[in-house]
């Protein structure tokens, strides 16, 4: 099982997400924004199995991160999360290749989406 990069500028959300994933047995790297997530993906490329990213972040947002990762690592699944609804994202023409979580989300929903994205990438 590979590692997961969790990118979110909201520290409380990031820490809760990391805790849920590590308690489930996943190895997790934390990033405060898309730039940090991109550096982690580059640094740990063979080990990263999934990127879980907030959409609205400073420096490099989740959509920009998704675009960079899809060019650099086309088979790496990216799961986006946001406080915006799916309909709002669709009206902004934001395509999601793997999945989308609306914040706040229960732990089981997070884990179900992570498992589904990892299974589709395998």
């Amino acid at each position: 099982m590979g590692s997961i990069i969790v990118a979110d500028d909201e520290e409380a959300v990031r820490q809760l997400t990391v805790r849920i994933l590590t308690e489930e047995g996943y190895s997790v790297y934390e990033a405060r924004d898309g730039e940090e997530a991109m550096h982690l993906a580059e640094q740990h490329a063979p080990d990263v199995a999934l990127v879980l990213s907030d959409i609205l972040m400073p420096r490099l947002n989740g959509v920009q991160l998704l675009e960079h990762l899809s060019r650099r690592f086309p088979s790496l699944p990216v799961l986006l999360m946001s406080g915006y609804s799916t309909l709002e994202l669709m009206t902004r023409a934001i395509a999601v290749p793997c999945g989308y979580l609306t914040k706040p989300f229960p732990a089981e929903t997070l884990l179900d989406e992570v498992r589904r994205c990892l299974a589709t990438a395998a």
Side-chain angles (χ1 to χ4, degrees):
M1 176 183 339
S3 297
I4 297 172
I5 295 173
V6 174
D8 198 313
D9 61 318
E10 292 182 55
E11 187 173 348
V13 173
R14 187 178 67 248
Q15 288 178 347
L16 175 62
T17 303
V18 168
R19 192 182 89 234
I20 292 167
L21 293 170
T22 55
E23 286 177 359
E24 193 65 19
Y26 293 102
S27 172
V28 181
Y29 298 108
E30 290 184 59
R32 291 175 294 205
D33 58 40
E35 263 188 41
E36 282 188 11
M38 194 64 201
H39 290 297
L40 287 168
E42 293 283 344
Q43 186 178 11
H44 302 284
D47 181 48
V48 177
L50 174 72
V51 175
L52 174 60
S53 177
D54 188 20
I55 292 177
L56 296 178
M57 295 183 294
R59 298 199 302 168
L60 187 70
N61 69 42
V63 174
Q64 293 165 325
L65 174 63
L66 169 65
E67 291 168 351
H68 287 290
L69 291 172
S70 66
R71 284 192 299 272
R72 180 74 175 94
F73 308 103
S75 63
L76 179 63
V78 177
L79 177 57
L80 295 178
M81 56 185 172
S82 177
Y84 288 102
S85 71
T86 309
L87 181 59
E88 287 174 291
L89 293 175
M90 286 176 14
T91 62
R92 294 170 185 247
I94 296 173
V96 180
C98 177
Y100 174 78
L101 287 168
T102 302
K103 293 182 194 175
F105 44 79
E108 199 52 46
T109 301
L110 167 66
L111 295 171
D112 287 346
E113 279 299 297
V114 166
R115 287 183 200 111
R116 188 185 62 72
C117 284
L118 288 172
T120 59

